[in-house]
């Protein structure tokens, strides 16, 4: 009895220490983010002098200053642009990636394994080898300076990661449902629409979620194609706070708008955490 | 129906598949295959976006422009008869990127594995901890965090404020000092270990607990168990994480761009490969040269991935743990 209790106390102590360690490390890790949020409410001259988390004075000046935006265009416009880009991208990816995934996972056709292998190779391809010709192509369409170079590819299933994720998921669904529907006279498209899509809902949520995050956070494409302030996205607009030599003129406003820019990711993450973990573990999606 | 013409039958059998695949096929041909061939061709020309009519075939000129300094060249005569200058910054961008990849990827994976092992114990609140540890990864690639990182590591930034509380004096501006600037970016990468950690956690859960119990009975201590059970059984997951992290580390752009204020930072200390490519292609509009750089990047990543897979037969074990 006594020995058993000792072992139990030992385990409890070890677990307690582990908890303590994990919590301490966790606080260290998210301290910069917390500090950023708190500092966005500090008067500009107190941001540097105060490494603490409790502000000595609270102001909303930074938000007012930051919201004025860039070149006469307010941050409201930038947020609207980003949200529009995300919404259309999600729609495009959901349609195009699920169509391709259904073909790969369920339909029999000549060359299926060949095209699947091709798709897997594009998954690892660095985007830079296609960058210049894509830019020349979009420029010849007169699309530089519009949302089209960012949105059009989403309707053509260019995010192979999502096709792969959906293929994996659809393969795991029971085939008997398709067969029963076929016997009942359902067409391939009917099966896709009425059986596969509803059952694949969790995977589709993961696709929508990561499409949102990647489009929201994308910077490179926005830098290339969103060339005028009225069509700037939030990330492209945040860059204007950092001068060309790297100096920042208004830190308070920069931190305030950065905090706002992170808000959607936060909200989505805490409301849809399950889908994150599923997305990452099935395909190794990078956040 | 069944005795119709073979072509009709072939179409009937394949039509549905290819119909569903059409968007992806169009995307593949128009936005991947054609651009790849086009950029390979451009890489052998002196194509400049602002002077498309002046484009000429220059053979391996762009490639010599990159690697000429290895042969001690500073300029050479191109196939067009014009003098071409060696890119003085190319080698620097290559060394910056390799240093970053070689430092950031192993550190990140080690850290991710360590934390994953801590959390794989039967503890309460693990989902909550996992969420908190994932926050940096969730936000890490964004411009917002890059802006924050500048602030943290400046001379009068948060890090120095803490270090001076601890009694350190004469602290450098980490971002503006060419000796340290790259390492702040390595730290930023390691900080975002969240998705590797989640994948490791899932992998650790697959290892049957009995293996550890049996080893414990046989007298193996924790260190032995780690090296002879955990590591071998986790090796396929390590391989996967290693390849994915390596590929994405070579393509880092946003953080370097913001922290360097659109350039390579002080003395080009953070002139990452993709940043250099962007500057060549979209500041100087030397898009033929930028295409050549992109193809070299593809080759580097391809060769390294192949090498890792080749080596994996010596250190990755499959077949157990199911």
């Amino acid at each position: 009895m006594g020995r058993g209790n000792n072992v139990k106390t030992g385990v409890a102590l070890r677990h307690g220490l582990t908890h303590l360690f994990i919590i301490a490390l966790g606080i260290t890790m998210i301290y910069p983010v917390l500090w950023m949020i708190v500092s966005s409410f500090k008067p500009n001259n107190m941001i540097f002098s105060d490494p603490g988390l409790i502000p000595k004075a609270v102001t909303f000046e930074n938000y007012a200053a930051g919201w004025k935006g860039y070149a006469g265009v307010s941050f409201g416009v930038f947020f609207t642009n980003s949200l529009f880009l995300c919404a259309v991208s999600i729609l495009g990816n959901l349609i195009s990636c699920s169509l391709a995934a259904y073909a790969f996972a369920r339909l029999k056709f000549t060359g299926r394994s060949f095209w699947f292998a091709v798709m897997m190779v594009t998954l690892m391809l660095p985007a830079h080898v296609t960058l210049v010709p894509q830019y020349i192509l979009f420029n010849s369409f007169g699309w530089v300076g519009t949302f089209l170079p960012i949105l059009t590819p989403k309707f053509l299933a260019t995010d192979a990661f999502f096709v792969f994720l959906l293929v994996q998921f659809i393969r795991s669904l029971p085939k008997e449902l398709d067969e029963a529907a076929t016997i009942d006279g359902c067409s391939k498209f009917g099966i896709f629409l009425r059986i596969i899509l509803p059952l694949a809902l969790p995977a589709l949520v993961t696709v929508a979620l990561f499409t949102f995050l990647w489009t929201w956070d994308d910077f490179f494409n926005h830098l290339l194609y969103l060339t005028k302030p009225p069509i700037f996205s939030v990330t492209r607009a945040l860059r204007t706070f950092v001068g060309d030599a790297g100096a920042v003129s208004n830190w308070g406003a920069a931190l305030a708008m950065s905090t706002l820019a992170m808000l959607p990711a936060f909200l989505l993450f805490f409301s849809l955490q399950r889908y994150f973990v599923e997305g990452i573990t099935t395909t190794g999606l990078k956040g | 129906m069944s005795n119709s013409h073979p072509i009709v039958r072939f179409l009937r059998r394949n039509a549905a598949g290819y119909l569903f695949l059409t968007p992806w096929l169009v995307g593949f041909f128009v936005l991947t295959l054609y651009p790849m061939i086009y950029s390979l061709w451009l890489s052998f020309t002196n194509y400049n976006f602002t002077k498309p009519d002046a484009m000429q075939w220059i053979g391996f000129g762009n490639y010599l422009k990159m690697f000429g300094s290895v042969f001690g060249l500073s300029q050479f005569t191109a196939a067009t008869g014009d003098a071409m200058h060696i890119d003085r910054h190319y080698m620097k961008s290559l060394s910056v990127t390799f240093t970053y990849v070689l430092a950031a990827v192993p550190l990140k994976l080690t850290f991710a594995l360590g934390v994953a092992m801590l959390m794989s114990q039967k503890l309460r609140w693990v989902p909550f901890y996992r969420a908190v540890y994932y926050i940096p990864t969730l936000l890490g690639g964004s411009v917002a965090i890059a802006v924050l990182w500048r602030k943290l590591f400046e001379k009068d930034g948060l890090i120095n404020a803490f270090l001076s509380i601890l009694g350190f004096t004469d602290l450098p501006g980490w971002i503006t000092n060419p000796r340290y600037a790259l390492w702040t970016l390595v730290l930023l990468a390691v900080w975002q270990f969240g998705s590797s950690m989640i994948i490791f956690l899932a992998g650790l859960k697959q290892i049957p607990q009995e293996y550890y119990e049996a080893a414990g009975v046989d007298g193996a201590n924790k260190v032995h168990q780690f090296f002879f059970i955990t590591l071998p059984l986790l090796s396929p997951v390590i391989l996967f994480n290693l390849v994915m992290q390596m590929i994405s580390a070579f393509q880092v752009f946003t953080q370097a761009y913001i922290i360097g204020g659109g350039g390579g930072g002080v003395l080009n200390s953070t002139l990452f490969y993709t940043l250099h490519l962007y500057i060549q292609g979209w500041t100087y509009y030397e898009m033929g040269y930028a295409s050549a750089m992109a193809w070299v990047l593809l080759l580097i990543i391809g060769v390294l991935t192949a090498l890792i897979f080749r080596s994996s037969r010596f250190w990755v074990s499959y077949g157990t743990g199911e």
Side-chain angles (χ1 to χ4, degrees):
Chain A
M1 270 302 271
R3 186 143 182 264
N5 272 339
N6 272 344
V7 171
K8 258 186 203 157
T9 353
V11 170
L13 190 71
R14 199 161 47 93
H15 278 189
L17 285 175
T18 313
H19 277 291
L20 215 63
F21 181 76
I22 292 179
I23 292 168
L25 187 66
I27 291 174
T28 317
M29 282 199 40
I30 60 164
Y31 195 91
V33 178
L34 297 177
W35 180 82
M36 173 182 206
I37 298 168
V38 171
S39 294
S40 70
F41 293 103
K42 289 177 192 167
N44 230 326
N45 59 352
M46 289 171 91
I47 292 174
F48 305 130
S49 53
D50 182 9
L53 282 186
I54 298 147
K56 296 187 179 73
V58 173
T59 171
F60 290 94
E61 234 169 68
N62 297 326
Y63 284 86
W67 195 258
K68 286 202 190 93
Y70 175 73
V73 185
S74 104
F75 246 85
V77 174
F78 304 144
F79 270 95
T80 316
N81 289 343
S82 274
L83 285 173
F84 175 75
L85 281 173
C86 288
V88 179
S89 297
I90 288 172
L91 187 72
N93 267 347
L94 285 181
I95 297 171
S96 65
C97 295
S98 63
L99 285 171
Y102 176 61
F104 283 131
R106 276 293 204 267
L107 300 178
K108 287 198 179 69
F109 55 92
T110 317
R112 180 174 76 168
S113 48
F114 170 75
W115 291 119
F116 188 71
V118 168
M119 198 264 306
M120 293 305 286
V121 169
T122 65
L123 209 130
M124 297 224 189
L125 203 69
H128 303 87
V129 280
T130 57
L131 211 57
V132 166
Q134 280 187 8
Y135 187 83
I136 295 170
L137 187 74
F138 290 140
N139 184 60
S140 71
F141 295 163
W143 285 5
V144 174
T146 72
F147 294 139
L148 289 169
I150 293 164
L151 297 178
T152 314
K154 307 288 185 216
F155 287 87
L156 300 172
T158 48
D159 285 329
F161 261 120
F162 298 134
V163 179
F164 177 57
L165 180 135
L166 289 168
V167 167
Q168 295 287 83
F169 196 88
I170 294 173
R171 274 184 184 156
S172 73
L173 300 174
K175 265 213 167 99
E176 292 75 29
L177 293 168
D178 304 32
E179 284 155 11
T182 312
I183 292 165
D184 289 347
C186 204
S187 67
K188 297 272 189 255
F189 191 73
I191 293 171
F192 170 70
L193 214 58
R194 300 217 181 89
I195 295 172
I196 300 293
L197 281 189
L199 289 176
L201 194 65
L204 292 171
V205 173
T206 306
V207 169
L209 191 62
F210 278 94
T211 304
F212 183 93
L213 287 179
W214 291 354
T215 310
W216 187 270
D217 274 349
D218 184 16
F219 178 65
F220 195 69
N221 288 310
H222 297 184
L223 187 64
L224 289 191
Y225 294 116
L226 306 182
T227 47
K228 300 176 297 225
I231 63 161
F232 273 5
S233 65
V234 171
T235 50
R236 179 65 189 82
L238 281 181
R239 186 257 178 272
T240 61
F241 283 113
V242 184
D244 269 333
V248 176
S249 45
N250 188 346
W251 268 115
L255 294 183
M257 290 306 109
S258 296
T259 303
L260 281 187
M262 297 190 310
L263 204 61
F266 258 124
L267 292 178
L268 283 176
F269 178 59
F270 282 104
S271 50
L272 299 167
Q273 227 204 95
R274 184 163 67 92
Y275 298 98
F276 269 88
V277 177
E278 265 163 34
I280 294 161
T281 45
T282 45
T283 60
L285 292 170
K286 47 193 193 301
Chain B
M1 280 279 267
S2 57
N3 49 19
S4 56
H5 196 273
I7 292 177
V8 175
R9 256 186 297 161
F10 178 83
L11 285 177
R12 204 190 302 274
R13 216 176 35 240
N14 290 302
Y18 279 95
L19 222 58
F20 275 92
L21 214 55
T22 301
W24 179 82
L25 279 172
V26 172
F28 172 71
F29 281 108
V30 178
L31 296 175
T32 306
L33 189 64
Y34 155 76
M36 277 183 77
I37 296 166
Y38 194 3
S39 82
L40 184 61
W41 178 71
L42 280 178
S43 78
F44 295 106
T45 71
N46 61 359
Y47 176 79
N48 183 300
F49 186 67
T50 55
K51 293 171 278 188
D53 297 330
M55 177 171 66
Q56 281 177 300
W57 180 266
I58 54 166
F60 282 93
N62 285 325
Y63 295 90
L64 196 57
K65 186 176 171 178
M66 280 180 246
F67 293 103
S69 59
V70 176
F71 313 110
L73 295 172
S74 62
Q75 65 174 52
F76 60 96
T77 314
T80 56
D82 300 324
M84 264 181 91
H85 290 275
I86 300 295
D87 178 356
R88 286 180 297 123
H89 301 307
Y90 179 78
M91 281 300 171
K92 178 70 184 174
S93 79
L94 211 54
S95 79
V96 164
T97 309
F98 266 94
T99 309
Y100 174 81
V101 173
L102 289 177
V105 175
L107 280 174
K108 183 192 229 178
L109 292 187
T110 312
F111 204 48
L113 180 58
V115 175
M117 288 186 55
L118 268 183
M119 288 198 195
S120 70
Q121 304 176 55
K122 289 193 179 66
L123 290 176
R124 271 189 293 175
W125 307 315
V126 163
F128 172 73
Y129 292 150
R130 192 178 57 188
V132 171
Y133 277 71
Y134 188 74
I135 289 174
T137 311
L138 176 72
L139 309 169
S142 62
V143 174
I145 289 296
V147 171
L148 170 68
W149 221 249
R150 265 205 79 92
K151 182 69 246 149
L152 294 183
F153 286 94
E154 273 190 345
K155 196 164 174 59
D156 55 359
L158 185 66
I159 300 295
N160 280 356
F162 273 113
L163 289 175
S164 62
I165 289 171
L166 293 176
F168 291 94
T169 49
D170 271 342
L171 293 160
W174 304 96
I175 294 272
T176 44
N177 187 320
R179 278 176 64 187
Y180 306 119
L182 180 57
W183 296 97
T184 64
L185 283 161
V186 170
L187 203 61
L188 177 55
V190 177
W191 188 54
Q192 300 167 52
F193 66 90
S195 50
S196 306
M197 174 196 72
I198 289 180
I199 296 169
F200 276 138
L201 255 175
L204 286 169
K205 269 194 204 144
Q206 302 289 316
I207 302 177
Q209 205 55 42
E210 298 87 63
Y211 287 19
Y212 293 106
E213 283 158 16
V217 170
D218 289 345
N221 62 27
K222 292 276 175 211
V223 178
H224 285 138
Q225 290 180 14
F226 174 73
F227 281 105
F228 295 108
I229 299 174
T230 311
L231 273 190
L233 289 181
L234 208 58
S235 53
V237 183
I238 297 174
L239 173 68
F240 176 81
N241 269 340
L242 181 63
V243 170
M244 298 315 279
Q245 293 297 337
M246 192 256 319
I247 291 177
S248 64
F250 267 108
Q251 302 178 55
V252 152
F253 177 82
T254 306
Q255 299 91 316
Y257 180 93
I258 296 296
I259 282 174
V266 181
L267 296 178
N268 287 322
S269 52
T270 52
L271 184 67
F272 277 78
Y273 197 99
T274 54
L275 183 55
H276 192 45
L277 190 155
Y278 169 79
I279 293 169
Q280 294 301 313
W282 279 271
T283 306
Y284 303 126
Y285 292 113
E286 293 291 349
M287 289 192 177
Y289 183 56
S291 299
M293 280 188 67
W295 272 91
V296 172
L297 180 66
L298 176 70
L299 277 178
I300 292 172
I301 293 178
V303 167
L304 285 178
T305 308
L307 281 179
I308 292 174
F309 273 110
R310 266 289 166 83
S311 77
S312 71
R313 76 174 73 148
F314 299 111
W315 60 273
V316 175
S317 59
Y318 294 99
T320 38
E322 297 289 298

